[in-house]
Amino acid sequence: MADQLLLPGATLFYSGFFVLASGALVLAFFVYDYSTYREDTDTEDLAVSELALNPLRGGPKDLPIANHLVDDDDSPEKKGSKHKPKLVILGTGWGSVALLKQLNPEDYHITVVSPSNHFLFTPLLPSATVGTLELRSLVEPIRRIVSKVRGHFLKASAIDVDFSEKLVECVVTEGDQQRHFYLPYDKLVIGVGSITNPHGVKGLENCHFLKDISDARRIRNQIVRNLELACLPTTPDDERRRLLSFVVSGGGPTGVEFAAELFDMLNEDLTKYYPKILRNEISVHVLQSRGHILNTYDEALSIYAESRFANDQVDIQTNSRVKEVTPDRVIYTQKDEKGEVVTKELPMGFCLWSTGVAQTEFCQNLANKLDELGDELPDHSPRFVLLSYPLTLSSGRLSVPYVMLYYLPVTCDSELRMLYAGAKELMRNTAEVGKIIEIDTAEDLEEIEEKLKGEP
Amino acid sequence: MADQLLLPGATLFYSGFFVLASGALVLAFFVYDYSTYREDTDTEDLAVSELALNPLRGGPKDLPIANHLVDDDDSPEKKGSKHKPKLVILGTGWGSVALLKQLNPEDYHITVVSPSNHFLFTPLLPSATVGTLELRSLVEPIRRIVSKVRGHFLKASAIDVDFSEKLVECVVTEGDQQRHFYLPYDKLVIGVGSITNPHGVKGLENCHFLKDISDARRIRNQIVRNLELACLPTTPDDERRRLLSFVVSGGGPTGVEFAAELFDMLNEDLTKYYPKILRNEISVHVLQSRGHILNTYDEALSIYAESRFANDQVDIQTNSRVKEVTPDRVIYTQKDEKGEVVTKELPMGFCLWSTGVAQTEFCQNLANKLDELGDELPDHSPRFVLLSYPLTLSSGRLSVPYVMLYYLPVTCDSELRMLYAGAKELMRNTAEVGKIIEIDTAEDLEEIEEKLKGEP
């Protein structure tokens, strides 16, 4: 009897608890919701430095210098960091955001500059092109990340750096107008990323790229547009097959991931709502310049991907280099087994260009500034120079080796020579550089790029 | 003691149940997930009518006639409806979708034609402009809705209807090319919606509209762009105030809803991540041509909205008509209390044009076709004509009155006259028309528009 009486009691207890907990949650939600509304919209007295509103001009090009920002006095914490060393971070990609997450807000006056106001979770971008993921779930507003370290954000493009005066030249485009200004720094972090490598191929304006969120949206629209056009009674047979021919140039991770996502969509969602003739006539092609796709990864992975694609009827063309892309065709050369080069072409309704990355114009400009470094080196005294040097390897891959230049002019006196020689290993270890390049004249700087490229 | 021993037992029971239930749910998810993948990608033999792939030409303009569609034979059910009466629905808005949800798939061979491949939940569109709602949550792919009634969808624009041969002329734009075709119908439903009413104002290319999902995205981008520009050190004071001046032209539901959403965003989200100076300098203006905003609604609502906006420092300008919109200003005339008209202007960084709707070009063309109706009326015999006639009222509102024309030529013999007179009330009740317009010559058709507009 005790059993029968007590178990329902326990059930009642749990039911009661559940009801109470649910009630509390609903109540908590309304309290939270209420807290998100604010009634006081009084414009409070706001201290904004006159220098932030009308910056002084200066620097080599006599531009406004943004020494003070409009939100420098917005909170006591921000006021506190106003006179801290200025850390300027260019770009809002992986490098910049990883740094921002680890910074101590007490240490610097932080300013982030980028033409893009969000951080993008790039590995999932191929999934967003076919609608597996919502585009918005891949982005995080950079202002939210920056606010955690009490930083500032300026939506502008960095176009040049004056290393001697420690000024970043930024440009803002508004309609037809371009406005330039200088942003002063004490420490500068360059995380501007890279651009798609054109490899000198003609007709890339007929291709899609996959670097940014707007690229993903354009790709999605183009895929849907092609599918809808293919259903229409006015579309002739060969035109429909062309519209349904999806070509991916580049067998690296982006291209392979995209081809797989595309295939999944065509196979799973398409068949449900579109005429069946589309599924029968669709073709997905991957053009790869090397002998295997995913060739920078482990061989097992590469073989698995190839066998999987073969099973899925995704057509892989290896040893193929694209020569030209026209609005309706991709022309490429293929090396056959005998080593002979044949020119082939594919009709295409959509082409993704994902053949690796190249240096941005901004980085190229900075690299050219090594000459300026030469001007700064003294004639008779040694120097250590820490150099993070962006260059494009012959394989098309972007690499930014971090090295130490050990400048030791022949005319330098023996005491200084001893001093620097003794500090060399300490410097190498403290700075954690991989390689030391020794030079004895400023002219040797010109050979650095070749020396770095020559590395295994 | 029994209490103490049994309660933990019950707890164990519930914990066990919870673990089992969770386990079952996880398992169920994987089973479901597995079921969404398909291994068989064999291209099955597909029956597609040759006439669907190469439609015959005909009609007044000798265009391809889409009598058969490529997915007519895709499933046994679709095959079954192949020879049913053809119901063609133009547009994918509220009217068309409401109809689609109620149709019996057995009754018709259904084809939906629209340049837009989704149904948009328009009432929440203003919320999407500021990011309260995700754009994608407002749309439903029309193919999903159409597939429930085994219908077909063609992404094309209807531009003309040939009522005598029962053909809809459609056009597909692909790049620079335009392809026309005819779609035959037995019953035609026109649900093409309306366009924004320009009211003959100059410079509307400087305004944003709010009709479609892409409009909402453009508005969101423009708002963020303005806020970011306003933070920059190169932006002068008056320019910043202009960028932060948001003007809404039209005090109807769309304009008021948008102004409220904008204000909420500026007040709740903006202050957290943007410099405080922005919040202080932002202004939202609503220009309304009548004496009150929301004037088509109950007065209590209108007064509540106005007092709420006054409290929120949203500036309402009543009795104001916009004359011209330039890239940086809105010029409008305002009638003051004495009835005098003053010309004023507002600097603006963003202008929404939401002053009601007007007839599309397609509907205007159809309305002009009443002349054709005149040609079809017999000389000596009466006719009942059911007419759904779209017209724009003097208030700018679009109205589509549904009336019955009772055509009774004077030369008609008395027997027919008696027959039709007796059927008149029966027809009115069966067709559920609001009004009967009596005409005795085809020329009277020209006066119909005036007669309808003259209605209270």
Side-chain angles (χ1 to χ4, degrees):
Chain A
M1 274 304 281
D3 265 285
Q4 283 170 355
L5 279 172
L6 280 164
L7 266 179
T11 315
L12 267 180
F13 169 75
Y14 281 99
S15 309
F17 177 75
F18 178 75
V19 168
L20 277 179
S22 312
L25 277 175
V26 170
L27 194 71
F29 171 75
F30 278 109
V31 169
Y32 165 76
D33 188 55
Y34 177 76
S35 76
T36 65
Y37 290 86
R38 291 166 171 223
E39 279 300 319
D40 64 317
T41 62
D42 299 336
T43 50
E44 47 188 301
D45 260 350
L46 193 70
V48 177
S49 155
E50 183 55 32
L51 283 169
L53 296 175
N54 296 304
L56 297 174
R57 300 179 82 93
K61 294 191 189 170
D62 194 35
L63 299 174
I65 302 184
N67 245 313
H68 302 265
L69 299 175
V70 286
D71 47 354
D72 267 345
D73 298 309
D74 269 5
S75 65
E77 293 84 11
K78 281 199 173 165
K79 255 183 209 164
S81 60
K82 209 167 148 180
H83 301 292
K84 299 257 166 71
K86 286 181 194 298
L87 171 66
V88 171
I89 300 175
L90 307 182
T92 53
W94 286 94
S96 309
V97 168
L99 175 66
L100 280 169
K101 299 236 169 191
Q102 289 182 356
L103 279 175
N104 179 1
E106 306 285 329
D107 292 348
Y108 297 102
H109 175 274
I110 300 160
T111 310
V112 177
V113 179
S114 173
S116 155
N117 66 349
H118 55 264
F119 165 67
L120 176 65
F121 194 80
T122 42
L124 290 178
L125 204 50
S127 311
T129 56
V130 296
T132 312
L133 277 171
E134 177 49 46
L135 292 173
R136 200 176 170 185
S137 60
L138 299 186
V139 294
E140 171 84 6
I142 196 70
R143 282 192 178 271
R144 204 177 292 170
I145 300 168
V146 167
S147 72
K148 282 180 193 148
V149 289
R150 297 176 212 151
H152 310 265
F153 174 69
L154 298 176
K155 190 168 183 293
S157 304
I159 52 168
D160 202 1
V161 179
D162 190 306
F163 289 108
S164 52
E165 298 202 29
K166 293 200 166 183
L167 295 171
V168 181
E169 185 183 343
C170 303
V171 64
V172 186
T173 310
E174 194 200 338
D176 317 329
Q177 270 192 315
Q178 285 211 328
R179 289 178 183 153
H180 293 250
F181 67 94
Y182 281 128
L183 188 65
Y185 66 86
D186 293 305
K187 303 208 173 189
L188 178 66
V189 175
I190 301 179
V192 297
S194 50
I195 55 168
T196 304
N197 195 336
H199 289 294
V201 170
K202 272 187 293 183
L204 288 196
E205 66 275 12
N206 301 313
C207 293
H208 285 261
F209 306 101
L210 192 46
K211 288 291 283 180
D212 199 0
I213 200 94
S214 51
D215 294 333
R217 185 177 294 124
R218 268 193 291 269
I219 289 176
R220 192 153 82 181
N221 290 347
Q222 173 84 16
I223 293 174
V224 171
R225 203 187 69 98
N226 281 12
L227 295 179
E228 290 293 352
L229 279 175
C231 301
L232 291 174
T234 46
T235 308
D237 277 16
D238 52 345
E239 172 76 359
R240 183 169 49 244
R241 268 183 223 111
R242 180 186 75 77
L243 285 168
L244 297 176
S245 162
F246 295 87
V247 178
V248 177
S249 178
T254 309
V256 167
E257 182 81 16
F258 174 76
E261 286 282 355
L262 184 66
F263 176 81
D264 275 1
M265 185 201 65
L266 299 178
N267 215 35
E268 287 168 22
D269 305 333
L270 188 71
T271 43
K272 257 185 279 180
Y273 302 118
Y274 282 84
K276 284 193 179 159
I277 189 172
L278 263 61
R279 181 67 201 88
N280 276 28
E281 297 197 344
I282 270 173
S283 57
V284 180
H285 312 270
V286 178
L287 301 181
Q288 162 72 324
S289 57
R290 305 300 175 93
H292 291 278
I293 59 169
L294 294 177
N295 61 306
T296 54
Y297 290 77
D298 188 77
E299 204 187 332
L301 187 66
S302 165
I303 289 170
Y304 172 77
E306 281 175 6
S307 71
R308 182 77 209 218
F309 274 171
N311 184 37
D312 286 350
Q313 297 166 0
V314 171
D315 168 43
I316 301 176
Q317 301 283 334
T318 51
N319 297 316
S320 303
R321 284 186 181 275
V322 174
K323 266 177 64 184
E324 191 183 343
V325 184
T326 70
D328 56 1
R329 273 171 311 151
V330 177
I331 301 160
Y332 64 100
T333 57
Q334 192 171 37
K335 213 183 267 180
D336 62 12
E337 281 149 30
K338 292 173 208 152
E340 275 173 50
V341 175
V342 200
T343 301
K344 296 185 173 184
E345 60 178 59
L346 271 172
M348 71 90 179
F350 171 92
C351 181
L352 176 73
W353 189 257
S354 56
T355 56
V357 294
Q359 220 171 324
T360 60
E361 209 189 320
F362 175 72
C363 287
Q364 278 173 353
N365 286 345
L366 292 195
N368 294 339
K369 292 226 172 175
L370 275 183
D371 303 345
E372 287 182 24
L373 179 63
D375 299 341
E376 305 241 331
L377 290 177
D379 285 341
H380 310 295
S381 168
R383 283 288 182 276
F384 292 128
V385 181
L386 290 172
L387 188 69
S388 173
Y389 189 80
L391 52 84
T392 311
L393 302 180
S394 55
S395 67
R397 198 167 66 82
L398 180 74
S399 166
V400 192
Y402 180 49
V403 296
M404 187 165 89
L405 301 187
Y406 178 20
Y407 170 65
L408 192 68
V410 281
T411 55
C412 146
D413 72 40
S414 61
E415 198 178 328
L416 272 173
R417 190 180 290 258
M418 293 276 281
L419 186 71
Y420 271 75
K424 196 174 104 176
E425 280 310 307
L426 182 67
M427 271 301 287
R428 180 215 281 265
N429 291 334
T430 311
E432 292 178 356
V433 291
K435 193 177 177 179
I436 295 183
I437 298 180
E438 298 192 12
I439 53 175
D440 52 15
T441 65
E443 281 74 48
D444 289 352
L445 282 170
E446 286 165 25
E447 292 160 27
I448 282 178
E449 188 158 335
E450 276 163 43
K451 278 190 186 164
L452 289 173
K453 275 194 182 170
E455 276 207 306
Chain B
M1 275 304 282
D3 265 286
Q4 283 170 354
L5 280 172
L6 280 164
L7 267 179
T11 315
L12 268 180
F13 169 76
Y14 281 100
S15 309
F17 178 75
F18 178 75
V19 168
L20 278 179
S22 312
L25 277 175
V26 170
L27 194 71
F29 170 75
F30 278 109
V31 169
Y32 166 75
D33 189 55
Y34 177 76
S35 76
T36 64
Y37 290 85
R38 291 167 171 221
E39 280 300 318
D40 64 317
T41 61
D42 299 337
T43 51
E44 47 188 300
D45 259 350
L46 194 70
V48 177
S49 154
E50 183 55 32
L51 284 169
L53 296 176
N54 296 303
L56 297 175
R57 300 179 82 92
K61 294 190 189 171
D62 194 35
L63 299 174
I65 302 183
N67 246 314
H68 302 265
L69 299 175
V70 285
D71 47 354
D72 267 345
D73 297 309
D74 270 5
S75 64
E77 293 84 11
K78 281 199 173 165
K79 255 184 209 165
S81 60
K82 210 168 148 180
H83 300 292
K84 298 257 166 71
K86 286 180 194 297
L87 171 65
V88 171
I89 301 175
L90 307 182
T92 53
W94 286 94
S96 309
V97 168
L99 175 66
L100 280 169
K101 299 237 169 190
Q102 289 181 356
L103 278 175
N104 179 0
E106 306 286 328
D107 293 349
Y108 297 103
H109 174 275
I110 301 161
T111 310
V112 177
V113 178
S114 173
S116 155
N117 65 349
H118 55 264
F119 165 68
L120 176 65
F121 193 80
T122 43
L124 290 179
L125 204 50
S127 310
T129 56
V130 296
T132 312
L133 277 171
E134 177 50 46
L135 292 173
R136 199 176 170 186
S137 60
L138 299 185
V139 294
E140 171 84 5
I142 197 70
R143 281 192 178 273
R144 204 177 292 169
I145 300 169
V146 168
S147 72
K148 282 181 192 147
V149 290
R150 298 175 211 152
H152 310 264
F153 174 69
L154 298 176
K155 190 167 183 294
S157 303
I159 52 167
D160 202 1
V161 179
D162 190 306
F163 288 108
S164 52
E165 298 202 29
K166 293 199 166 185
L167 295 171
V168 181
E169 186 183 343
C170 303
V171 64
V172 186
T173 310
E174 194 201 338
D176 317 329
Q177 270 193 315
Q178 286 210 328
R179 289 179 183 153
H180 293 250
F181 67 95
Y182 282 127
L183 188 65
Y185 66 86
D186 293 305
K187 303 207 174 192
L188 178 67
V189 175
I190 301 178
V192 296
S194 50
I195 54 168
T196 304
N197 195 336
H199 289 294
V201 170
K202 272 187 292 183
L204 288 197
E205 65 275 13
N206 301 312
C207 293
H208 285 261
F209 306 101
L210 191 46
K211 288 291 283 180
D212 199 0
I213 200 91
S214 52
D215 294 333
R217 185 176 295 125
R218 268 193 290 269
I219 289 176
R220 191 154 82 181
N221 290 347
Q222 172 85 14
I223 293 174
V224 171
R225 203 187 68 99
N226 281 13
L227 296 179
E228 291 293 352
L229 279 175
C231 301
L232 291 174
T234 46
T235 307
D237 277 16
D238 52 345
E239 171 76 0
R240 182 169 49 245
R241 268 183 223 110
R242 180 186 76 76
L243 285 168
L244 298 175
S245 163
F246 295 87
V247 178
V248 177
S249 178
T254 309
V256 168
E257 182 81 16
F258 174 76
E261 286 281 355
L262 184 65
F263 176 81
D264 275 1
M265 185 202 63
L266 300 178
N267 216 35
E268 287 168 23
D269 305 333
L270 188 70
T271 43
K272 257 185 280 181
Y273 303 118
Y274 283 84
K276 284 193 179 159
I277 188 171
L278 263 60
R279 181 66 201 90
N280 276 28
E281 297 196 345
I282 270 172
S283 57
V284 180
H285 311 270
V286 178
L287 302 181
Q288 162 71 325
S289 57
R290 305 300 175 92
H292 291 278
I293 59 169
L294 295 178
N295 62 306
T296 54
Y297 290 77
D298 188 77
E299 205 187 332
L301 188 66
S302 164
I303 289 170
Y304 172 77
E306 282 176 6
S307 71
R308 182 77 209 217
F309 273 172
N311 184 38
D312 286 350
Q313 297 166 359
V314 170
D315 168 43
I316 300 176
Q317 301 283 334
T318 51
N319 297 316
S320 304
R321 283 185 181 276
V322 174
K323 266 177 65 186
E324 192 183 342
V325 184
T326 70
D328 56 0
R329 273 171 310 151
V330 177
I331 301 160
Y332 63 100
T333 57
Q334 191 170 39
K335 213 183 267 181
D336 63 11
E337 282 150 29
K338 292 173 209 153
E340 275 174 50
V341 175
V342 201
T343 301
K344 295 185 172 182
E345 60 177 60
L346 272 172
M348 72 89 179
F350 171 91
C351 181
L352 176 73
W353 188 257
S354 56
T355 56
V357 293
Q359 221 171 324
T360 60
E361 209 188 321
F362 175 71
C363 288
Q364 278 172 353
N365 286 345
L366 292 195
N368 294 339
K369 293 226 173 175
L370 274 183
D371 302 345
E372 288 182 23
L373 179 63
D375 299 340
E376 305 240 332
L377 289 178
D379 285 341
H380 309 295
S381 168
R383 282 289 182 276
F384 292 128
V385 181
L386 290 172
L387 188 68
S388 173
Y389 189 80
L391 51 85
T392 311
L393 302 180
S394 55
S395 67
R397 198 168 66 81
L398 179 74
S399 165
V400 192
Y402 180 50
V403 296
M404 186 166 89
L405 301 188
Y406 178 20
Y407 170 65
L408 192 68
V410 281
T411 55
C412 146
D413 73 39
S414 60
E415 198 179 328
L416 273 172
R417 189 180 292 257
M418 292 277 282
L419 186 71
Y420 271 75
K424 196 173 102 175
E425 280 310 307
L426 182 68
M427 272 301 287
R428 180 214 281 265
N429 291 334
T430 311
E432 292 178 356
V433 291
K435 193 178 176 179
I436 295 182
I437 298 180
E438 297 191 12
I439 52 174
D440 52 16
T441 65
E443 281 74 48
D444 289 352
L445 283 171
E446 286 166 24
E447 292 160 28
I448 283 177
E449 188 157 335
E450 277 163 43
K451 277 190 187 164
L452 289 172
K453 277 194 181 170
E455 275 206 308

